[in-house]
Amino acid sequence: MSETHVERRARLMGPNVPTFYRSPVHLVRGEGVWLWDAAGKRYLDCYNNVPHVGHCHPKVVEAIAKQAATLNTHTRYLHDMVLDYLERLLGTFKNGIGQGILTCTGSEANDIALRMAQAATGKTGIIVTDDTYHGNTTAVSQLSARRPQIGERWPNVRLVPAPNSLLRPDPDGTIFAGHVKAAMAELAAAGFGTSALLICPMFANEGLPSLAPGWLAPTEAALRAEGALIIADEVQPGFGRSGSHFWGHERLGFKADIVTMGKPMGNGHPVAAVVTTPEIMASFRNVFSYFNTFGGNPVSAAAAMAVLQVIEEEGLQERAAKSSAYVKDRLEALNHPLIADVRANGLFFAVELRDGDKGATAFSVQLVENMVARGFLMNVIGADRNVLKIRPPMAFDIEHADLLIDALAAALAETKVPA
Ligand code: PMP
């Protein structure tokens, strides 16, 4: 019998290589919000924030092709495109952020952010939430609650309970601030001190809780009182996804000292970044002589520049705000006994499914499988894997929202919990 794709993958890549879905999808082509698999089946992409401005956007494709045909090289040569891009990217920030480093992945960006915070504060402790993911370098994997660790977690890392607006309401953020203060006290007693709190401003991997602007203020005050910094991981919220703001930390209303970004930045081309104030950058550069061979090479910079141009030309942030309100209304109108909460943060939605006091884990996982079978890609998040995560490319419009929600209504009616 001939080897399947999944078997070949395991033979060549080893065991436990993550894939989405029980029957992994083998995609071969994309256009806008649409994808096609190897058998010619069409899917509506309701999940992927990497092709931010739409799969294979012609302007991004053209920018990559043109620059690749002209020059691509090591980043230790001078190149205008890289500086033009950084200038434009940094122009989207307020609050003193004025310098950046381009990398290939969000993990690298967070790894640098960690070292920046440590260099700037002289402290080594770091605080993250207990249900997050920030990447896969040796250091950053210590900050990702769900990844198995070899040996004990590093003693300079403290996990605090992630906010959960449904089960543990904390409307003014004082409970979260209390957890952060306790972690800071522990880190001080252990001799590390606190360099920074690292959070995703939407708490996207944690379940996308509903948090009012200003919610982080008590935590921010506690951190500032000790000279600790805030790192905003904008890998998921960034580049206009919230609809109301270009960056997630602006929407939540706190001052980020260091911001990291990745996934949507190059529309699938591997480019990511860490940006900060000139003062923090100087503390980092004075300790580490950092360069990244591929990070922000001319082709990556051209891809990233095209993404910023398309967001502006096509008014994608404004469109996200419009589609957001429409999708939220339609999700709220769905009638199913397990739907416990619907949350929206721009073009990012969470539908929490609960059975009494328990997360409806098996139902949620099966529902996603049924949606994939119907040709709609989405996933589940949250500690109990019971929160539908809907996070389409920014080219997702009202017509697509109607297709999605009609299919979701039918799949909700059809889904039975597997025995
Ligand atoms: N931060 C967050 C919040 C993420 O969701 C991810 C990836 N899922 C990363 C960082 C890591 O990015 P990358 O896979 O590009 O290293």
Side-chain angles (χ1 to χ4, degrees):
M1 255 209 340
S2 69
E3 194 179 37
T4 67
H5 193 104
V6 172
E7 287 162 351
R8 186 169 176 223
R9 199 171 149 108
R11 175 169 62 79
L12 294 169
M13 296 178 162
N16 288 329
V17 183
T19 49
F20 288 138
Y21 314 124
R22 219 172 280 148
S23 304
V25 180
H26 179 183
L27 299 171
V28 294
R29 191 165 75 80
E31 191 183 317
V33 291
W34 295 102
L35 289 161
W36 286 264
D37 73 10
K41 176 174 169 175
R42 189 172 83 149
Y43 297 84
L44 182 64
D45 191 350
C46 307
Y47 186 66
N48 206 334
N49 65 333
V50 172
H52 194 58
V53 300
H55 290 275
C56 305
H57 192 290
K59 290 224 165 127
V60 182
V61 172
E62 191 196 337
I64 291 173
K66 212 165 137 201
Q67 187 57 47
T70 309
L71 174 73
N72 198 19
T73 186
H74 196 295
T75 58
R76 280 187 290 174
Y77 294 103
L78 306 182
H79 201 280
D80 282 338
M81 180 63 90
V82 177
L83 299 182
D84 290 347
Y85 177 68
L86 262 179
E87 195 121 55
R88 184 155 179 174
L89 177 73
L90 292 166
T92 66
F93 287 95
K94 304 175 185 84
N95 281 333
I97 285 184
Q99 293 183 346
I101 296 175
L102 299 179
T103 64
C104 304
T105 66
S107 301
E108 287 174 303
N110 279 329
D111 196 280
I112 296 170
L114 205 56
R115 287 191 268 166
M116 277 180 171
Q118 292 175 339
T121 60
K123 315 267 178 61
T124 53
I126 176 91
I127 303 172
V128 289
T129 75
D130 63 356
D131 190 27
T132 188
Y133 177 74
H134 290 292
N136 56 17
T137 68
T138 304
V140 173
S141 64
Q142 294 290 325
L143 313 179
S144 294
R146 283 195 225 119
R147 302 289 122 169
Q149 309 288 327
I150 295 182
E152 296 291 312
R153 193 179 293 278
W154 290 352
N156 61 330
V157 178
R158 285 293 178 285
L159 307 185
V160 292
N164 184 320
S165 52
L166 181 66
L167 301 182
R168 297 187 298 275
D170 177 18
D172 57 6
T174 48
I175 298 175
F176 187 74
H179 293 309
V180 170
K181 278 187 211 162
M184 286 169 72
E186 280 179 32
L187 287 169
F192 299 113
T194 302
S195 65
L197 169 74
L198 166 56
I199 50 163
C200 163
M202 282 190 188
F203 298 93
N205 289 325
E206 292 92 325
L208 206 77
S210 299
L211 304 174
W215 179 86
L216 201 68
T219 303
E220 193 176 353
L223 290 159
R224 304 265 175 241
E226 305 249 332
L229 306 180
I230 308 182
I231 304 169
D233 179 336
E234 294 272 0
V235 163
Q236 298 194 51
F239 295 95
R241 182 161 291 276
S242 84
S244 57
H245 296 80
F246 200 76
W247 298 108
H249 67 275
E250 293 177 329
R251 188 192 162 278
L252 201 52
F254 68 90
K255 179 180 178 298
D257 303 286
I258 303 171
V259 177
T260 59
M261 66 202 78
K263 280 179 168 171
M265 189 169 160
N267 217 43
H269 185 93
V271 59
V274 49
V275 297
T276 188
T277 62
E279 296 73 28
I280 294 173
M281 183 66 87
S283 331
F284 173 78
R285 294 274 195 208
N286 289 336
V287 179
F288 300 99
S289 166
Y290 185 89
F291 75 90
N292 187 318
T293 302
F294 300 122
N297 64 65
V299 174
S300 302
M305 182 70 109
V307 168
L308 286 184
Q309 282 163 352
V310 174
I311 293 173
E312 197 176 302
E313 282 164 19
E314 298 187 5
L316 291 181
Q317 186 182 322
E318 297 71 28
R319 273 167 64 183
K322 213 167 118 211
S323 304
S324 173
Y326 182 80
V327 174
K328 183 156 191 266
D329 282 353
R330 282 219 55 196
L331 286 172
E332 280 172 344
L334 285 173
N335 190 13
H336 190 277
L338 295 182
I339 296 183
D341 200 19
V342 170
R343 302 185 281 274
N345 201 330
L347 210 54
F348 206 146
F349 308 92
V351 179
E352 181 145 358
L353 296 153
R354 302 193 67 79
D355 192 358
D357 60 357
K358 284 201 289 294
T361 309
F363 182 91
S364 307
V365 171
Q366 186 56 45
L367 178 65
V368 166
E369 295 291 334
N370 292 350
M371 285 300 285
V372 175
R374 287 170 177 271
F376 295 84
L377 301 183
M378 59 174 62
N379 225 319
V380 284
I381 46 171
D384 290 338
R385 324 296 300 145
N386 67 319
V387 181
L388 297 185
K389 174 175 180 176
I390 302 173
R391 184 197 49 186
M394 297 277 279
F396 190 87
D397 257 320
I398 304 289
E399 60 186 292
H400 310 119
D402 282 333
L403 293 172
L404 164 68
I405 296 171
D406 292 347
L408 191 55
L412 277 163
E414 161 203 288
T415 301
K416 301 276 172 290
V417 178

